[in-house]
Amino acid sequence: MEPIIKVENLIKKYRVGSQVVPVLNDINLNIYPGEILTILGTSGSGKTTFLNLAAGLERPTRGRIIIEGHNLNKISEKNMAAFRRKYIGFVFQLYNLLPSLTALENAVLPLVFEGVPPREREKRGRELLTQMGLGNRLRHKPGELSGGQRQRVSIARALINNPRIIFADEPTGNLDSKTTEEILELLTTTIREKGQTLLMVTHDNEVAAYGDRIVEMVDGRILNGNSFREEKNK
């Protein structure tokens, strides 16, 4: 099977004053269609930087990322936003919802940029938010929702245009343990039903265990890519 994401010799460095700070060091990784892959690492390990590069939010210093045959290095900044809308959904730790919009309006925002007619947007948004258990919260604004409800809206927004790949950056980092379990069950079940690919970064071993495969990242390097279930059964 061909990987949906292919990462080759990825290096990322930042210049801080006169210092050059290495963040990612020669990352090579294949991620396959329908796979749920979690990247496990402590704060500062480079996992969020990797996620941003894989999603085309930043450019690498060296190396390349190929998504479904498209080399991200060769996509212009002008065209990158359109590429992300087609292929990628993003779930953020801090939700990134617009406070002046309702749950429904936040969820369908990607469809606005795609030019989907208002009636179709509302229909799709209502259906998806109802699946997320928010059918009675459509007109509520983020300030009127709990953390778990806000993250459900964020997940709906990531899924609304049926992207091939979902990126999740510590999606339960601000939630209690019960809500964390609910959100992860919802996210992974929905991903599997739709046949999508999920790349999720986390510092939490229990969250990482929801993946089909865990990649451990330390100091900008990948240490292993073993299956969590294989590790548990050793």
Side-chain angles (χ1 to χ4, degrees):
M1 181 186 297
E2 281 294 311
I4 191 169
I5 303 174
K6 190 174 183 64
V7 180
E8 299 177 334
N9 308 118
L10 192 68
I11 293 173
K12 181 64 177 178
K13 299 178 182 180
Y14 293 104
R15 182 172 291 278
V16 181
S18 60
Q19 299 284 323
V20 175
V21 180
V23 179
L24 296 177
N25 300 289
D26 199 28
I27 302 291
N28 289 277
L29 184 65
N30 289 334
I31 304 167
Y32 294 91
E35 182 176 28
I36 295 178
L37 185 139
T38 53
I39 296 181
L40 177 66
T42 59
S43 177
S45 63
K47 61 187 187 299
T48 295
T49 297
F50 175 79
L51 199 70
N52 289 340
L53 290 169
L57 297 173
E58 296 185 50
R59 300 283 187 174
T61 304
R62 263 196 308 237
R64 63 181 189 165
I65 298 165
I66 300 170
I67 294 180
E68 290 221 313
H70 299 276
N71 184 344
L72 298 195
N73 292 345
K74 296 183 177 180
I75 300 175
S76 68
E77 292 295 339
K78 179 181 177 181
N79 294 326
M80 185 62 79
F83 179 85
R84 283 197 297 268
R85 286 198 301 270
K86 181 177 180 181
Y87 288 97
I88 295 169
F90 214 110
V91 180
F92 299 91
Q93 178 179 349
L94 298 177
Y95 321 126
N96 283 18
L97 302 177
L98 296 179
S100 62
L101 300 184
T102 65
L104 180 60
E105 289 167 338
N106 268 289
V108 303
L109 205 53
L111 301 182
V112 175
F113 296 117
E114 289 295 313
V116 176
R119 185 173 295 182
E120 175 65 15
R121 292 201 305 262
E122 181 162 336
K123 178 177 181 291
R124 287 166 62 177
R126 280 179 175 275
E127 289 175 353
L128 187 52
L129 286 172
T130 298
Q131 291 174 22
M132 298 282 168
L134 295 175
N136 61 344
R137 293 288 189 271
L138 300 178
R139 302 300 176 187
H140 288 63
K141 293 184 178 179
E144 302 169 310
L145 301 173
S146 69
Q149 289 170 337
R150 277 177 274 176
Q151 193 58 295
R152 287 169 188 259
V153 176
S154 176
I155 292 170
R157 181 184 57 194
L159 296 174
I160 194 72
N161 59 349
N162 296 312
R164 296 291 308 279
I165 306 161
I166 303 296
F167 293 97
D169 185 7
E170 298 276 9
T172 59
N174 289 332
L175 305 176
D176 60 63
S177 57
K178 181 177 183 299
T179 309
T180 289
E181 184 176 345
E182 291 174 354
I183 290 296
L184 289 172
E185 288 288 348
L186 175 67
L187 179 60
T188 55
T189 299
T190 305
I191 290 291
R192 292 190 197 284
E193 287 175 351
K194 290 177 174 288
Q196 293 165 310
T197 302
L198 173 64
L199 176 59
M200 177 168 62
V201 303
T202 182
H203 66 279
D204 188 322
N205 283 280
E206 292 186 5
V207 173
Y210 280 81
D212 302 316
R213 181 162 53 115
I214 295 175
V215 169
E216 187 177 0
M217 186 172 285
V218 177
D219 296 332
R221 296 183 183 277
I222 288 176
L223 295 190
N224 66 67
N226 293 328
S227 162
F228 180 81
R229 293 170 182 79
E230 288 173 1
E231 289 292 305
K232 284 187 71 175
N233 292 331
K234 282 184 180 179

